[in-house]
Amino acid sequence: MLSYAVLFDLDGTLTDPKLGITRCIQYALSEMGYKPPDGDRLHWCIGPPLKNSFSQLLNTSEDKLLEQAISLYRSRFSTVGLFENSLYPQIPETLQTIRSAGYKTFVATSKPYIYATRIIEHFSLSSLFDGVYGSELDGTRSVKGDLIHHILQKENLSPSATVMVGDRFHDIIGAKQHNIASIGVTYGYGTEQELTVNGADSIARSPDDIPMLLKDLRLKIFS
């Protein structure tokens, strides 16, 4: 029997992590002797792999410098920044509706797995997911396409019966690489243009749009 599944990005899709992420980036830059940008100018760092963001912020590809920045970021994030985070409205109800419709649900985030699981537990969402997947601390599977490939194999999911839900172009591109449908959400940190230009199949403007969009996609795929 075919299992239908939904992969959810975490930052900007399930939770709003702005305070934690921006403050930890500012902390890392300050500790390294740089003047950090205001938090509102760091929105673009929410979603992509951390190494990519620091590479742009520091204008370098030097591994030693990037590792130092990531280490400083994590020293604050693992104790404080992790919980400077809030759940988007209607997320628990939306997940329950989707699961009641027969879908399996998984978290698929570029954030390290050890942090993602703590965040999901903190918001009491563990019972609403069949699995939580993230990157390793060394950066393995921080690219969304690599992570999606891993989940599809590990959970034996059919691409034609799987949908990726996320707020940034990385989510949409990762989905397209594996021929799975995607729903872009505009209540997070990506724009509707960013999502549609990269091929999102549907657009959700609030979490409670997602169940109906999933139903429409399912009908379209199997009609």
Side-chain angles (χ1 to χ4, degrees):
M1 183 178 175
L2 195 61
S3 292
Y4 296 95
V6 189
L7 313 182
F8 283 93
D9 177 45
L10 179 57
D11 294 342
T13 302
L14 298 174
T15 70
D16 183 351
K18 176 188 169 183
L19 276 183
I21 289 177
T22 57
R23 286 177 178 175
C24 290
I25 289 173
Q26 289 170 327
Y27 170 78
L29 293 175
S30 294
E31 289 294 301
M32 294 174 72
Y34 295 87
K35 180 175 170 54
D38 292 337
D40 287 341
R41 295 180 61 197
L42 292 171
H43 284 183
W44 61 272
C45 298
I46 300 172
L50 197 54
K51 188 173 184 179
N52 295 6
S53 298
F54 275 122
S55 181
Q56 292 184 57
L57 286 164
L58 297 170
N59 193 28
T60 185
S61 57
E62 187 183 330
D63 282 336
K64 190 174 180 181
L65 202 60
L66 295 176
E67 285 167 13
Q68 182 187 1
I70 291 170
S71 178
L72 285 164
Y73 174 98
R74 286 176 176 166
S75 70
R76 186 183 186 279
F77 188 82
S78 62
T79 54
V80 180
L82 194 67
F83 305 116
E84 293 173 323
N85 201 349
S86 58
L87 204 59
Y88 284 115
Q90 299 299 311
I91 287 297
E93 296 85 351
T94 296
L95 290 168
Q96 190 59 65
T97 298
I98 290 168
R99 290 177 66 82
S100 295
Y103 292 89
K104 288 186 171 183
T105 51
F106 301 92
V107 174
T109 175
S110 293
K111 187 183 293 300
Y113 165 81
I114 62 166
Y115 300 144
T117 52
R118 289 176 64 192
I119 291 167
I120 293 299
E121 288 166 3
H122 174 71
F123 288 114
S124 302
L125 297 178
S126 299
S127 64
L128 296 174
F129 288 100
D130 294 283
V132 177
Y133 287 88
S135 65
E136 302 295 334
L137 287 171
D138 67 1
T140 302
R141 291 191 292 275
S142 61
V143 175
K144 194 56 67 87
D146 295 343
L147 181 67
I148 290 172
H149 175 74
H150 177 69
I151 299 171
L152 291 174
Q153 286 199 320
K154 190 85 172 173
E155 298 292 340
N156 195 28
L157 302 176
S158 167
S160 66
T162 303
V163 178
M164 178 74 216
V165 180
D167 72 312
R168 299 302 310 274
F169 70 91
H170 308 83
D171 302 303
I172 309 306
I173 291 172
K176 294 301 174 194
Q177 286 174 347
H178 299 287
N179 297 310
I180 71 174
S182 60
I183 295 174
V185 307
T186 58
Y187 57 82
Y189 287 91
T191 64
E192 183 165 346
Q193 182 182 13
E194 172 185 332
L195 296 164
T196 53
V197 162
N198 285 286
D201 295 287
S202 301
I203 297 292
R205 293 173 177 82
S206 69
D208 46 14
D209 287 344
I210 298 171
M212 185 55 70
L213 293 173
L214 284 171
K215 186 177 180 182
D216 291 345
L217 281 174
R218 189 162 159 177
L219 287 172
K220 191 183 297 183
I221 292 168
F222 292 99
S223 61

